[in-house]
Amino acid sequence: MTAVSGTGTGTDSEGAGDFGRLLAGHRVAAGLTQEELAAAAGVSLRAVGDMERGRTRGPQRRTVRALAETLGLDAPQTAALDRAAQCGRPRGTRPVSAAAPTRGPAAPAPAHVPAPAGPAETGDAAPAAPLAPGALALPRDIADFTAREGALALLAELAEDDRPAHPRVVLISGQPGLGKTAFALHAAHTLAPFFPDGQLSLDLGGMAATPLSARDALGQVLRALGVADNAVPAGTEERAGLYRALVRERRLVLVLDNVADESQVRPLLPGSGPAVTLVTSRNALPGLESVLRLRLDALAPGEAADLLARIAGRERIDAAPDATAELARLCGYLPLALRIAGQRLVARPQQPVSHLVRQLAAEEHRLDLLETGDLAVRPAFALSYRRLPAESQLVLRRSALTAGHDFTAAVAAAYAGLPPGRTELVLEQLIDAGLVQLATPERYRLHDLVRLYAGERLDADEGPEAVAQARARAGDWLLNRAAEYGLRFDPDHAAADPDAAPDPDADADRTGPPVPLTEAARWLEEEHPEWLAALHQAFAAGRHREVIDTAEAMHWFSDRLLSWDIWAEVFQLSVDAARACGDQLAEAVHVNYLAWTYVTCLHRYQRGIDLANEGLELARRIGAREQEGWALTYLAAGLRHLHRHREAIDAYHRAADAFAAVNSRAGWIGRLVTLRGAANCLRDSGRAEEAVESRRRALAGALELVERWSSPLMHLAAAMTAHELGLDRAALGRWPAAEKAYRQALTHYEEVGRPDSMTKTLTELGTALIEQGRAEEARELLTEALTDLSADGPRQGRRRTG
């Protein structure tokens, strides 16, 4: 790298200080402000301020004459001001000469030049020689640099301190392709006016096979600071000591780019003084102490579009906003990928933005297309990948197999075939290496382009057989865990302790400490992309019974999340698996589950009615009375939502007759559901009094079920029935009675673990309070409820991603 703008300082500090004091005294005596003096003398306001504060210690003679004339100074006053300025001007100093080794105190250095100083030297250093012309100059700034305004403002604020208590070191880190170097250089150019003693930039080759050593880096920096070759000390510590002495009083910016590790960069950090050091690294350098850490992230969508516009032309980009937004998304909002895409557009002015979007949409070709000239995404990732230990490479590759936007260490461990604890340590190392990101305190994610690269390495380094084995092993673990936790909500399979479940993050080969039932539910929700993908893989592999069993285990759990739209996918797979097995009973059961999904979750009532009729025909054909009852129940629910109340009530009555022939807990639950459904029809058709009486019988039945079989399912049934009783009473304007029913529902919802359907009851309770003139109480209730439910976790925002 070559030279820097700026000069070294070499003056008598006392004389320099006299100039600032003299100038300020004459200005005050003349009755002028700094602004008025600057305007009249034809110099900048900043220059006047710097001169009075001693930042600029030796202005040129023509500047001194202009200031003297404006201030109306006589000849002796002008001469005194000029003499003070001369003390601050650089003098023709000799390069630093090698000091003869002595056993006593260091030999005195030539005038204005510090003697080579060891790291333990604590005295004030004499002024250094000027910067060597052409040494380590900043590369050119990028004219179309975009975004990062917050980080730049933070650096500008940092630079304002004339006398910082500690040396200012900024570590800029992040994954490959984020533009760390471009940001550091842009920042250095931006900060240049604050640092008149120079700006230097040095590439430490952190990703090279043999990075630049600290000793060699110090040698280059010392030469750039004006130290002659024969005066550069031999040892790293001696060079570091001399470097710290030289920069102690210098206002300069040093960019240390592409740092490999802490040991490489630590000797290059100033011990004190006004200098600012900008360090860039793909690694987080967690061992580097007392630094300001700026971890860059991908651009926001609007920033990405702005960068594309600055590269490819504003008019062209603005003419295709949808294609531009998709192009930015396909680039993962990564500055390097966006720059390559922009350059491709520049090179192909005849092609629309949508053409490049269509090309990049094919994942198998995306990294091939994100290459133009000497810019490429794949090699940027490869540099980091090659430096990883074998175990870290394995975890990164296998993480590409995960199905969700983020994942836990336990899921990654299932794919990698490693213990969860060990996998977590490796993932933390990959975060430090800039290849894995932290999504939440306990979840990790891969950038989209890093995932594509890791997938490429998976195919190249392991092959299809090893990949298939990893998928199968993880799939078995995921489906076993999903079925185990799903069955926790089945009253016929619930554990003796309803509040305990095996640890979801425990090793597959051992039993971890018990966790609350809510944690089992949380695992099923958060890991649904993983177990759903495993369910698809099991179906594709012909493991149909495993698909049926997993979906059956999910059946009762599905009641907790009525707004989750993945149930149609789950139960369609189980219907297809039952048909593939030729199991007609399983087919009837799961067709009914699918009918429930379309009526209750998706609100596609006619499709639900068609499926219910299909399930009814299957159940009658094989004589399955329980399934006949459920088919009629879902048929009635669909009819009710289409306001065909008379047909719905008839179907509910026929369902009750079918359940009466079933002497089991399922029969009891079925009869309760039909009572509730019939009451809903009565209320909807304007027969609210009859609805209240029917619902009271249903609630009594629900409470009896809770007494007989206390389980989350029974409490959920009681909660839903009490909620509906509140609606019935509200329809009659009986607000105190409605409030009582809603509060009874909330009590049972708490026993279930606060499912999402609880929010409806809270809303209705708020309405009941308002109707009774208790608006403030309603506001407090709803505010507290919103806070509590939001604190329960991210499931609401993740539910519709399946």
Side-chain angles (χ1 to χ4, degrees):
M1 311 285 291
T2 54
V4 62
S5 58
T7 59
T9 58
T11 71
D12 181 281
S13 59
E14 184 179 354
D18 286 344
F19 177 81
R21 287 192 292 271
L22 280 172
L23 178 62
H26 288 310
R27 177 181 60 77
V28 172
L32 298 176
T33 65
Q34 287 186 345
E35 291 86 348
E36 292 168 341
L37 175 59
V43 298
S44 71
L45 174 61
R46 173 175 287 183
V48 172
D50 287 348
M51 283 185 280
E52 290 192 358
R53 289 193 296 270
R55 284 185 178 180
T56 301
R57 302 178 178 183
Q60 299 300 315
R61 285 189 175 87
R62 61 177 178 273
T63 301
V64 175
R65 285 197 297 270
L67 292 169
E69 290 174 4
T70 301
L71 293 168
L73 303 184
D74 57 23
Q77 290 174 321
T78 300
L81 189 65
D82 188 51
R83 283 194 301 273
Q86 288 180 24
C87 294
R89 292 177 191 143
R91 301 183 183 183
T93 57
R94 300 191 305 270
V96 179
S97 60
T102 65
R103 296 186 180 273
H112 309 300
V113 179
E121 185 172 328
T122 58
D124 290 336
L131 293 174
L136 304 187
L138 291 180
R140 69 186 181 96
D141 197 5
I142 298 175
D144 53 27
F145 185 88
T146 303
R148 314 295 191 198
E149 290 87 355
L152 288 170
L154 183 63
L155 293 183
E157 182 180 351
L158 188 73
E160 290 177 356
D161 190 355
D162 289 338
R163 297 184 178 278
H166 305 284
R168 295 169 289 191
V169 179
V170 181
L171 172 60
I172 304 159
S173 63
Q175 76 171 63
L178 283 174
K180 297 178 291 296
T181 298
F183 171 78
L185 294 176
H186 181 72
H189 281 285
T190 302
L191 297 176
F194 294 96
F195 296 91
D197 294 337
Q199 305 86 40
L200 304 172
S201 176
L202 177 62
D203 183 353
L204 295 177
M207 291 295 107
T210 305
L212 190 68
S213 68
R215 177 183 179 277
D216 292 342
L218 282 163
Q220 291 191 41
V221 173
L222 289 173
R223 293 181 184 94
L225 291 173
V227 180
D229 286 347
N230 62 358
V232 175
T236 301
E237 289 297 322
E238 290 76 13
R239 291 183 178 193
L242 176 57
Y243 167 69
R244 289 193 290 271
L246 289 174
V247 301
R248 187 175 297 154
E249 296 297 331
R250 282 188 142 155
R251 292 188 57 80
L252 59 82
V253 177
L254 176 62
V255 177
L256 299 176
D257 188 32
N258 196 11
V259 170
D261 55 38
E262 295 90 340
S263 63
Q264 182 192 35
V265 73
R266 192 174 280 114
L268 286 151
L269 304 181
S272 61
V276 167
T277 306
L278 305 179
V279 178
T280 78
S281 179
R282 298 185 180 192
N283 299 316
L285 307 184
L288 205 59
E289 62 282 339
S290 299
V291 298
L292 174 65
R293 295 180 179 272
L294 286 180
R295 191 169 184 89
L296 300 186
D297 201 353
L299 300 181
E303 295 170 337
D306 192 31
L307 177 57
L308 288 169
R310 294 188 182 189
I311 298 171
R314 178 72 60 184
E315 183 176 352
R316 185 178 183 185
I317 293 300
D318 288 348
D322 293 341
T324 297
E326 182 62 9
L327 177 59
R329 187 190 69 79
L330 291 171
C331 290
Y333 309 106
L334 193 70
L336 174 59
L338 291 164
R339 181 162 296 282
I340 293 169
Q343 293 300 132
R344 290 184 71 90
L345 292 174
V346 170
R348 296 163 178 79
Q350 73 281 6
Q351 289 182 350
V353 177
S354 59
H355 181 81
L356 181 56
V357 168
R358 179 182 59 78
Q359 292 177 315
L360 288 173
E363 287 189 351
E364 64 271 21
H365 302 311
R366 193 174 304 166
L367 293 181
D368 294 324
L369 288 163
L370 290 176
E371 180 174 344
T372 183
D374 61 350
L375 296 176
V377 168
R378 184 185 285 113
F381 295 151
L383 285 173
S384 292
Y385 179 78
R386 287 198 295 265
R387 292 180 63 85
L388 295 175
E391 190 177 46
S392 298
Q393 291 180 345
L394 171 68
V395 171
L396 181 66
R397 292 194 305 266
R398 298 289 179 84
S399 294
L401 294 174
T402 59
H405 293 300
D406 50 54
F407 52 89
T408 62
V411 169
Y415 284 104
L418 297 173
R422 180 60 191 168
T423 303
E424 184 177 14
L425 291 177
V426 174
L427 286 168
E428 293 295 327
Q429 293 166 2
L430 288 169
I431 288 175
D432 290 341
L435 290 172
V436 168
Q437 301 169 356
L438 200 60
T440 70
E442 295 182 352
R443 300 186 70 85
Y444 306 86
R445 69 178 296 268
L446 297 179
H447 185 275
D448 291 346
L449 297 180
V450 174
R451 182 181 288 273
L452 288 180
Y453 176 77
E456 285 186 353
R457 297 317 315 162
L458 183 69
D459 294 338
D461 296 353
E462 299 194 40
E465 184 176 348
V467 172
Q469 290 176 354
R471 285 187 188 276
R473 179 180 59 248
D476 287 344
W477 180 81
L478 287 163
L479 293 184
N480 287 337
R481 186 56 53 90
E484 179 183 351
Y485 289 153
L487 286 173
R488 292 297 313 286
F489 301 90
D490 185 334
D492 291 323
H493 293 82
D497 179 2
D499 294 324
D503 182 359
D505 291 330
D507 292 352
D509 296 330
R510 66 178 177 85
T511 300
V515 297
L517 185 65
T518 52
E519 290 301 311
R522 187 186 299 275
W523 187 94
L524 287 169
E525 293 179 52
E526 291 183 346
E527 304 305 342
H528 81 266
E530 306 299 339
W531 60 255
L532 184 58
L535 198 66
H536 278 281
Q537 291 161 15
F539 181 83
R543 304 201 308 270
H544 299 125
R545 182 55 59 185
E546 190 174 356
V547 172
I548 295 169
D549 291 344
T550 304
E552 181 64 39
M554 292 291 174
H555 163 232
W556 290 111
F557 173 68
S558 64
D559 277 332
R560 290 174 54 94
L561 297 170
L562 304 182
S563 61
W564 224 9
D565 55 11
I566 71 163
W567 297 124
E569 196 173 347
V570 170
F571 295 131
Q572 186 64 63
L573 279 173
S574 59
V575 167
D576 294 341
R579 288 169 178 163
C581 290
D583 187 334
Q584 289 187 309
L585 177 58
E587 183 182 354
V589 169
H590 290 268
V591 166
N592 280 340
Y593 294 164
L594 196 56
W596 169 84
T597 300
Y598 276 91
V599 171
T600 307
C601 302
L602 302 182
H603 311 297
R604 292 174 57 184
Y605 305 120
Q606 189 56 55
R607 175 59 177 155
I609 289 170
D610 293 341
L611 286 165
N613 279 321
E614 183 181 337
L616 180 60
E617 182 181 345
L618 276 168
R620 285 174 173 170
R621 186 189 310 156
I622 61 177
R625 291 288 279 168
E626 180 183 336
Q627 294 310 312
E628 182 181 343
W630 286 117
L632 286 164
T633 299
Y634 303 139
L635 172 63
L639 291 168
R640 175 209 160 202
H641 285 292
L642 293 178
H643 307 291
R644 295 158 62 177
H645 297 118
R646 182 172 298 178
E647 295 172 78
I649 290 174
D650 177 67
Y652 277 127
H653 288 163
R654 287 188 288 146
D657 292 341
F659 285 128
V662 180
N663 187 22
S664 69
R665 179 159 34 190
W668 280 73
I669 295 172
R671 289 193 290 277
L672 169 61
V673 172
T674 60
L675 276 173
R676 290 174 48 216
N680 288 336
C681 288
L682 291 170
R683 184 184 69 237
D684 293 346
S685 57
R687 299 157 64 182
E689 286 287 3
E690 296 176 68
V692 168
E693 291 306 313
S694 178
R695 192 86 63 193
R696 290 177 65 180
R697 293 196 301 272
L699 182 56
L703 295 177
E704 184 178 351
L705 289 177
V706 170
E707 287 294 321
R708 288 193 177 197
W709 302 292
S710 180
S711 71
L713 174 65
M714 300 311 163
H715 281 289
L716 183 62
M720 296 174 74
T721 308
H723 170 87
E724 292 160 349
L725 178 59
L727 294 176
D728 296 335
R729 290 169 171 171
L732 293 169
R734 299 172 184 171
W735 297 111
E739 176 189 350
K740 180 180 178 181
Y742 292 139
R743 292 193 184 278
Q744 187 175 11
L746 292 176
T747 300
H748 290 286
Y749 275 134
E750 291 288 351
E751 293 294 327
V752 178
R754 304 171 69 82
D756 59 353
S757 49
M758 179 177 177
T759 56
K760 297 178 181 179
T761 304
L762 289 166
T763 302
E764 297 296 341
L765 175 57
T767 300
L769 292 172
I770 291 171
E771 291 291 340
Q772 297 176 73
R774 295 151 64 187
E776 183 60 26
E777 185 179 348
R779 186 188 66 80
E780 293 177 0
L781 168 83
L782 294 175
T783 301
E784 181 181 357
L786 179 62
T787 302
D788 290 346
L789 290 171
S790 299
D792 278 347
R795 70 182 185 197
Q796 197 74 13
R798 300 164 58 85
R799 186 168 298 124
R800 295 191 176 273
T801 62

